[in-house]
Amino acid sequence: MFAILFSEAHVRVADVIYTATSGGLSVSADGGDTFTNKTTAHGLGDDCVRGVYAAGSTVYAATNGGLSVSIDGGNTFINKTTAHGLGDDRVRGVYAAGSTVYAATNGGLSVSADGGSSFTNKTTAHGLGHDHMCGVYAVPPAPPSEDIPDIPTGLTGTVISATQVRLTWRDSNDNEDGFRIERTDSMSPWITVTMTGANATALSALRFSAASDNPDLVPAENIRFGGTGETRTVTLTPVKGMSGTANVTVSVSDGSTTAETDFALNVTTGPELSAEARLESDGGDTVAPGGVLRYTAAISNTGDRAAEGVRFALPLPGNTEYSADTAGAVIRSALRTISEKASDPVYDGELNQLEWTGDIAMDESAEISFDLRVRPGTASGEAVSFGGTVAYDTDGDGISDITRNTGGIGDGSADSEVRITVEGCLPGDTDADGIIDMKDAVRVMRTLSGTDIGKICPESDANGDEKTGPEELIYILKKLAK
């Protein structure tokens, strides 16, 4: 008799949660039920927190005003700026490994070897692609590998009967998981006979073996026994990408008596969907109020069967507007250099979401894209954040059996959000309200006449001379004339 053993995993939700927001660092000490918000009043460099990393009671908060460091679990912070070696006070991400801290800034990657007290900045001069950092992650050194057990010695075989041989050996290790006993007739591949437990020095009385009548689907080396004594498991691993049926025979013998059981293993493959998305802006990882963004989602089928009726749904953020007649979809294939037109996505105004339904053949992907505009008046520091869902009903019962989020490829549990931050303004938008109108023209004229009108958005510079002059006035008037 074989006992199929199952294991169950339990994940404990973190007790302390640190959340980076546009209005401060929110800290929960009860697993996310309630939060206490930390701001500049607690030492943060700015209330707009871009990222956070915590190790024990040490917390690093990446803010728009520097890297804020807490050694008391986020109650109070000490802020680090360019005066401490940061490449720029605007920090977009942070990661720490022991006393080494990495800060992604708008002026380079700043590295600290003393827990964040001082930094050395790395830029394009050191090989970075751009001084404007978007994030950072460091891979810690791999842990030292465990000692590999020595090969057992002194293997001997004692004939017990015409059908039974007793094996013994010497075990000089204490770190092995067990011993696998294999056999061959010198003309066939090695087949696992049985597995012993750790520290065994002889083959147990029971011997286990298995064979498949379809070795192309389930070869002998893909049949593995586990467990000890009379409680054993057998694991069958079909060859990846193959489907069909294999009849498997499992045998148990004590040397004189053999018992066998047969069963059929049916392997059915099908579609395997993965999804990823990107959000593009002329401003890199920022967009101005009134600016246009391009969203693209790619849904791939890496399975061995076509997926019919795949459904993609993408709720649009409330601080954006869909740009009519910009949505489209194409089917791409590695076997074709020219993409095929697919059914167009549909915008549902009532739900404020984009929807697409279509078929994706094996080794093909559907690419869905459209434009949207950030609503005028959206505050600087806000994020445009997306999280779409791909659903597919594999067996036609009306229930989606495959669900993927447009975040990590093939990983529905990954962070599904695609984010971009609202900052600055459009060229000509002197008051940064997301609209280019006569008010902007009047502000330029008052500036040219020397009238004090207050702060003008620096990014409204239309010709790149870092000044507000006649060129901006002409640019605005041309915009208004269209």
Side-chain angles (χ1 to χ4, degrees):
M1 176 181 293
F2 289 89
I4 307 301
L5 305 181
F6 296 90
S7 63
E8 185 176 11
H10 300 276
V11 179
R12 177 179 172 83
V13 177
D15 290 328
V16 181
I17 301 173
Y18 300 91
T19 303
T21 81
S22 295
L25 181 68
S26 301
V27 183
S28 172
D30 55 11
D33 289 335
T34 60
F35 287 85
T36 301
N37 199 51
K38 305 297 180 179
T39 64
T40 52
H42 302 88
L44 288 178
D46 192 274
D47 286 349
C48 182
V49 183
R50 302 284 191 150
V52 62
Y53 184 88
S57 61
T58 303
V59 182
Y60 302 92
T63 83
N64 268 5
L67 181 67
S68 303
V69 184
S70 171
I71 59 174
D72 58 6
N75 290 321
T76 60
F77 289 84
I78 298 175
N79 197 52
K80 305 297 180 177
T81 64
T82 52
H84 303 88
L86 287 178
D88 191 280
D89 286 350
R90 290 171 294 179
V91 185
R92 294 183 171 271
V94 61
Y95 188 88
S99 60
T100 305
V101 183
Y102 304 88
T105 82
N106 273 15
L109 178 65
S110 302
V111 183
S112 171
D114 55 10
S117 297
S118 61
F119 290 83
T120 301
N121 198 53
K122 305 297 182 179
T123 65
T124 52
H126 301 88
L128 288 176
H130 199 285
D131 288 348
H132 189 131
M133 300 289 98
C134 299
V136 62
Y137 180 84
V139 179
S145 59
E146 296 182 0
D147 293 337
I148 299 175
D150 294 330
I151 297 174
T153 60
L155 176 65
T156 60
T158 302
V159 177
I160 304 300
S161 67
T163 60
Q164 187 176 12
V165 175
R166 177 177 175 80
L167 301 177
T168 60
W169 58 89
R170 287 192 296 272
D171 174 27
S172 57
N173 303 283
D174 60 1
N175 61 339
E176 79 273 7
D177 295 325
F179 296 91
R180 177 182 292 112
I181 312 299
E182 298 181 340
R183 66 175 174 83
T184 181
D185 59 5
S186 76
M187 300 296 291
S188 305
W190 286 92
I191 298 175
T192 298
V193 176
T194 188
M195 284 284 295
T196 75
N199 302 317
T201 57
L203 181 62
S204 72
L206 294 179
R207 290 179 293 177
F208 301 83
S209 63
S212 161
D213 70 350
N214 188 351
D216 291 334
L217 179 63
V218 184
E221 60 270 21
N222 285 19
I223 303 176
R224 301 291 183 182
F225 286 95
T228 59
E230 297 181 0
T231 302
R232 304 298 178 103
T233 61
V234 59
T235 303
L236 309 176
T237 306
V239 174
K240 185 177 180 180
M242 290 195 64
S243 59
T245 300
N247 292 306
V248 180
T249 302
V250 178
S251 303
V252 183
S253 174
D254 63 0
S256 58
T257 303
T258 300
E260 293 185 346
T261 183
D262 299 293
F263 60 90
L265 175 69
N266 295 311
V267 181
T268 302
T269 57
E272 180 59 37
L273 300 180
S274 63
E276 60 179 344
R278 65 180 183 272
L279 193 58
E280 298 170 296
S281 164
D282 291 339
D285 62 351
T286 62
V287 63
V292 176
L293 296 170
R294 184 69 172 174
Y295 179 93
T296 303
I299 307 167
S300 302
N301 180 7
T302 56
D304 61 359
R305 193 176 73 223
E308 299 177 353
V310 178
R311 183 177 181 273
F312 172 64
L314 180 73
L316 303 189
N319 54 2
T320 64
E321 298 172 340
Y322 170 63
S323 297
D325 302 323
T326 61
V330 295
I331 299 294
R332 301 189 186 278
S333 171
L335 303 178
R336 297 192 305 270
T337 57
I338 301 177
S339 301
E340 292 183 354
K341 184 75 171 63
S343 58
D344 285 334
V346 176
Y347 174 66
D348 187 327
E350 183 176 347
L351 296 177
N352 191 32
Q353 71 177 20
L354 203 79
E355 301 173 354
W356 178 83
T357 301
D359 302 337
I360 307 176
M362 57 182 291
D363 295 325
E364 293 189 347
S365 62
E367 187 174 283
I368 301 136
S369 58
F370 64 94
D371 292 343
L372 69 161
R373 179 171 176 262
V374 178
R375 292 184 185 275
T378 301
S380 178
E382 283 192 35
V384 178
S385 175
F386 288 87
T389 302
V390 178
Y392 176 63
D393 179 9
T394 59
D395 51 16
D397 62 356
I399 300 175
S400 295
D401 304 297
I402 297 177
T403 300
R404 294 288 183 262
N405 293 332
T406 50
I409 297 178
D411 183 2
S413 66
D415 178 5
S416 64
E417 286 192 338
V418 181
R419 298 169 64 89
I420 197 164
T421 305
V422 179
E423 283 186 356
C425 58
L426 295 172
D429 184 15
T430 60
D431 55 7
D433 65 353
I435 303 173
I436 299 174
D437 53 19
M438 280 303 300
K439 291 190 297 182
D440 297 304
V442 171
R443 287 172 68 89
V444 174
M445 288 187 286
R446 293 184 65 183
T447 299
L448 295 177
S449 66
T451 303
D452 183 15
I453 61 169
K455 184 178 179 181
I456 288 183
C457 181
E459 287 84 1
S460 64
D461 175 22
N463 63 343
D465 64 357
E466 300 182 358
K467 299 177 182 178
T468 299
E471 295 83 355
E472 280 66 44
L473 180 59
I474 294 172
Y475 179 87
I476 295 169
L477 295 176
K478 285 184 177 179
K479 282 283 187 181
L480 296 177
K482 289 184 179 180

